Amino acid sequence: MIIILFGAPGVGKGTQAKLLQERRNWFHLSTGDLLRAAIRDQTPLGKSAKTYMDKGELVPDDVVIGLVEEKIADKSAPEGFILDGFPRTQAQARALDDMLAAHGKSISSVINLIVPENMIVHRITQRRVCPSCGASYNLEANPPKNGINCDACGTVVTLREDDREETIRKRLKVYEDKTAPLISYYTMTGKLTDLDAVGEIEDIYKRLGNHVPRA
Ligand code: AMP
């Protein structure tokens, strides 16, 4: 079973996907997390992806499609996947359909998280990440226990390079131009559900939980 958590940067896809992973046993597949891990490991893929990510641009389709294909083709991969941050373009959506069909799988549902733009910008500027292990926090909604160091590994948390306000605006524009058109693509399949993603993390999780079974 494959569920896509859809929506603009900063609507809380990653936060909710992590909760679904912990509490409902879904496998969380975030292309953003995979790319950031490649950057931390200083792989050639990571070095090339960083130049796009720091500017708020999309990494080329073939790179991200390759990352997802590897996971979906993995024989030991779990049955239930939450896709977070993928697909982001028409080409990625078509490639996803093809790769799932090739493995006898299909998309179960697409949940479109909706948050007004002014709230998105505020939320993202409050986000902090751990540069060592990648854990993500929000200074208001979900701060590290002592406000400074990562709860998991103790490293000082920082603002992501692409979470600076001018880069957020660019990412939102890229979302409108390249990713939002997929809403009509998935509406046509009858699988898309809109979800109000404003409010407390736990309240949003409850709303989302009504659409997501246990994996
Ligand atoms: P995210 O963590 O999902 O907000 O992604 C952070 C950045 O990683 C994006 O702004 C893009 O530069 C890159 N990225 C993540 N997923 C994709 C994707 N599916 N296609 C292209 N670029 C991506």
Side-chain angles (χ1 to χ4, degrees), residues 31-32 35-36 53 57 59 64 85-86 88 92 160 171:
T31 41
L35 292 166
R36 281 183 289 277
M53 292 167 75
E57 291 170 4
V59 173
V64 277
F86 182 93
R88 266 174 150 105
Q92 292 178 21
R160 252 166 62 178
R171 288 165 64 199

Side-chain angles (χ1 to χ4, degrees), residues 1-5 13-34 37 67-86 96 100 105 108-109 205 208 212-215:
M1 230 182 329
I2 315 281
I3 289 182
I4 297 176
L5 282 192
K13 302 185 295 292
T15 303
Q16 295 298 330
K18 284 190 181 85
L19 291 179
L20 288 167
Q21 175 165 38
E22 281 164 25
R23 301 178 186 175
R24 297 205 174 187
N25 239 357
W26 286 83
F27 182 77
H28 174 202
L29 183 51
S30 154
T31 41
D33 284 353
L34 290 176
L67 286 175
V68 173
E69 196 154 30
E70 221 174 85
K71 299 281 174 192
I72 287 181
D74 183 349
K75 292 265 183 288
S76 62
E79 272 300 302
F81 270 86
I82 301 266
L83 287 176
D84 155 17
F86 182 93
L96 177 63
L100 290 178
K105 300 179 182 180
S108 305
S109 62
Y205 179 75
L208 180 61
V212 182
R214 287 192 177 273

Side-chain angles (χ1 to χ4, degrees), residues 6-8 90 110 112-114 175-176 178-194:
F6 194 84
Q90 296 276 0
V110 181
N112 181 25
L113 276 60
I114 299 175
Y175 171 80
E176 281 310 321
K178 306 247 170 83
T179 310
L182 294 183
I183 292 173
S184 43
Y185 180 77
Y186 286 121
T187 301
M188 280 189 300
T189 66
K191 291 179 178 168
L192 186 119
T193 308
D194 285 343

Side-chain angles (χ1 to χ4, degrees), residues 15 20 31 39 46 61 69 77 100 103 118 137 139 144 146 172 175 177-178 180 190-191 196 208:
T15 303
L20 288 167
T31 41
I39 293 174
D61 284 333
E69 196 154 30
L100 290 178
H103 292 89
N118 59 339
Y137 300 90
L139 294 181
N146 72 1
L172 289 171
Y175 171 80
D177 292 347
K178 306 247 170 83
K191 291 179 178 168
D196 172 13
L208 180 61

